[in-house]
Amino acid sequence: MCGRFWNIQFPFLHSRFKTNWYSIMKPISIFNFHGMPSQIFEPLVSLSLLRIHLQRSSFCSAAAMEWRIGLNIPSANQLINAFSSYCYQRDLDKAMKALDFMQKHRIWADSVTYAELIKCCIARGAIIQGKQVHQHVFSNGYEPKTFLINTLVNMYVKFNMLDEAQALFDQMPERNVVSWTTMIAAYSNSEFSQKALEMLIQMLRDGVRPNMYTYSSVLRACKGSCNLAQVHCSIIKVGLESDVFVRSALIDIYSKWGELQAALCVFNEMVTGDLVVWNSIIGGFAQNSDGDEALNLFKRMKSFGFCADQSTLTSVLRACTSLALLELGRQVHVHVIKFDQDLVLNNALLDMYCKCGSLHDANCTFNRMVEKDVISWSTMIIGFAQNGYSRKALELFKAMRVSGTKPNYITILGVMFACSHAGLVEDGQYYFRSMKKLFGIDPGREHYGCMVDLLGRAGKLEEAMKLIHEMDCEPDAVIWRTLLGACGVHRNMDLAECAAKQILKLDPDDAGTYILLSNIYANSQRWKDVAQVRGSMRDGGIKKEPGCSWIEINKQIHAFILGDKSHPQIDEISSKLNQVIWRLKEMGYVPDTNFVLQDLEGEQSESSLLYHSEKLAIMFGMVSLPKKKTIRIRKNLRICGDCHVFAKLLAKMENRCIVIRDPIRYHHFHDGACSCGDYW
DNA sequence: TTAGGGTTAG
């Protein structure tokens, strides 16, 4: 019992509810209504019976007992006190029974107690009870304080009942900064984020000064740099730019809009920050694929004495994922153990192992996870599919369905990716045709893209083209590029020209399209057309992105670019490469100069082919790592056919695994074969 | 005494 509630805090209760025999008698009928057996009302009921009922029965029956046996006479104060006690104990059922009693007898508690009850309703998702509290505090002319109405508005927001929240907000006789901020936060988190910005303007017009709570909420509603700049100016004007909540929200929103330099400026102005501000800036860089900077900031954070929490580690893992830093990722895993039950962190760990090509570690992590959600399952399915284990991906999808986890848009995309990369045309078509019926998911542009890939790879180019024309939405450059790639494989010149035309309409500077088209012409000996494509590229100043490969050795990342001889060990690497090629040629390796044509910027000779960046990176792995250690490479462009053959033969000759991650998928080379089954 | 910031899959 909370002593302070023994004092009547609302003097008007005396006038509304007089504690006399008449008023005490009234509850008796209520108690009977609640089902008390009539014999309980006999005056000679024993104390032990009372104890039993106090333990088993509701507040109302206990209060009735107390009154009947004359041990205690419940006054309005006592009833309010009991109600408060139930509210603070979060005993919702008893509190609601007491509330019902109070409602019938026009008794009101204080705002703080109702706020506690509302918190309890929110925590339990008890909408009906929450509405009863709302009705009670507005009944019989009672005028709740602004504080209490704010709490009710917040309750509707938490129940995702924005219309009810807005209606109550509109009825408020006066609104303070909390009232406005509650609604602004609600709209910022909703699909009506523009409304949050409109409310900020209305609030200022009403003469209510926004505070740090308001700004940290409204920032999330900013769409684009224009809104953001205006809100940022407003923050500076009211002198709130140094608040850590506002600062982290600013960093976060600038990062979300890709304005990392602006985010960094906000961060660098900080004199005393907290862990969340550090997490905001690290997360910002990690999410914008700048893993290097994210890791640098993480090092700085540690030098300032901050300890990483689950959010920090999640971003650090994401940085490792984008850079394919398996060894560093493994070190982070040691710290993840501290937060073993954190689902989001475990999902990030799982993704790191998948994207770093270590499926064994990924599978162990997945199997150890106590809690799995749709992201965990999707990550593992996509991980299997991208690493060339399509059958395992489909088996896991079946297990997911058995587990009862509902697949979503991305899960189905992963399943279709598995089908397209394993040539499982019938399975892919089945999932595509039945996804709406089986899972309630409408096929989106990406699903169509997977189907075009599936049909195109299988040589069903006309069917792929037909599907593009059947799409509900406009096909984008990615879909046309997929078709163009398939036309290259199956040498369909007419369709290739049509697809290339569509891509260049949508993305006129796409170097990849010019190169693909040029290769298709070259493979058919159409040299005039090859020259025309190259001329267009030259005239348009369009340059191919240079091929680059990265390898992690002793926590250092080494980058290799075709023709770049700046690496300090380049002589050793070149010498090793020449030895290896000589030995491979003895095994029957013949450089496939068809692929020289892909490299329009480089020398068109066998030597340029032999110095493709992944070959250099593999050689550096060979001279730097222990003999049996897997060599893991990440590269920015798709692997060419010659490097693919080279890696397969080398893996067999050296009896070691080589893993190459390209922008689309992974190649695990082992014993003369690749996990992609030469189908990529 | 009500309102606020950072983390996961294509």
Side-chain angles (χ1 to χ4, degrees), chain A residues 33-76:
Chain A
F33 177 76
H34 280 287
M36 286 294 292
S38 60
Q39 64 268 28
I40 289 177
F41 293 95
E42 293 304 315
L44 296 176
V45 172
S46 70
L47 278 173
S48 59
L49 186 58
L50 168 65
R51 205 172 296 119
I52 290 164
H53 273 275
L54 282 172
Q55 286 167 357
R56 291 185 183 167
S57 307
S58 68
F59 154 77
C60 301
S61 56
M65 292 284 287
E66 285 176 355
W67 174 74
R68 283 296 296 170
I69 62 172
L71 286 175
N72 201 347
I73 297 175
S75 64

Side-chain angles (χ1 to χ4, degrees), chain A residues 24 26 188 265 278 281 296 338 382 394 410 426 459 486 588 603:
Chain A
I24 291 299
K26 283 190 75 178
S188 292
C265 280
W278 279 99
I281 194 73
N296 285 336
K338 260 194 291 186
I382 293 162
L394 296 180
I410 296 172
E426 285 179 8
E603 293 173 52

Side-chain angles (χ1 to χ4, degrees), chain A residues 545-566:
Chain A
E545 184 185 359
C548 188
S549 295
W550 295 268
I551 183 167
E552 178 193 10
I553 305 281
N554 295 331
K555 299 180 194 171
Q556 294 280 324
I557 304 167
H558 298 257
F560 294 89
I561 302 173
L562 172 73
D564 177 19
K565 297 187 175 170
S566 61

Side-chain angles (χ1 to χ4, degrees), chain A residues 431-475:
Chain A
Y431 286 118
F432 180 69
R433 286 180 190 143
S434 53
M435 59 189 282
K436 173 72 178 168
K437 190 177 162 194
L438 290 178
F439 314 115
I441 300 161
D442 289 312
R445 188 179 276 135
E446 290 107 325
H447 297 106
Y448 277 98
C450 271
M451 275 307 289
V452 169
D453 193 38
L454 180 78
L455 295 169
R457 283 168 188 271
K460 297 173 187 259
L461 296 172
E462 298 299 331
E463 266 186 67
M465 188 68 171
K466 191 166 166 273
L467 190 69
I468 291 175
H469 288 305
E470 284 171 7
M471 284 172 66
D472 293 332
C473 46
E474 276 297 304

Side-chain angles (χ1 to χ4, degrees), chain A residues 12 49 51 75 77 136 389 433 439 498 595 598 638:
Chain A
F12 59 80
L49 186 58
R51 205 172 296 119
S75 64
N77 268 6
H136 169 69
Y389 305 102
R433 286 180 190 143
F439 314 115
C498 166
F595 294 98
Q598 288 189 348
R638 301 301 310 269

Side-chain angles (χ1 to χ4, degrees), chain A residues 183 435 617 640:
Chain A
M183 289 309 298
M435 59 189 282
C640 81

Side-chain angles (χ1 to χ4, degrees), chain A residues 191-244:
Chain A
E191 56 186 311
F192 313 108
S193 54
Q194 179 60 27
K195 185 85 178 150
L197 294 164
E198 288 167 13
M199 287 200 88
L200 177 70
I201 295 165
Q202 281 178 34
M203 176 185 186
L204 290 163
R205 281 186 188 145
D206 270 24
V208 182
R209 189 176 179 272
N211 62 15
M212 57 284 268
Y213 288 84
T214 322
Y215 283 116
S216 55
S217 290
V218 80
L219 278 166
R220 262 175 291 131
C222 293
K223 301 274 182 261
S225 51
C226 182
N227 282 337
L228 191 46
Q230 285 172 329
V231 176
H232 195 166
C233 284
S234 172
I235 289 167
I236 293 168
K237 204 171 160 188
V238 295
L240 287 170
E241 74 274 25
S242 57
D243 178 82
V244 283

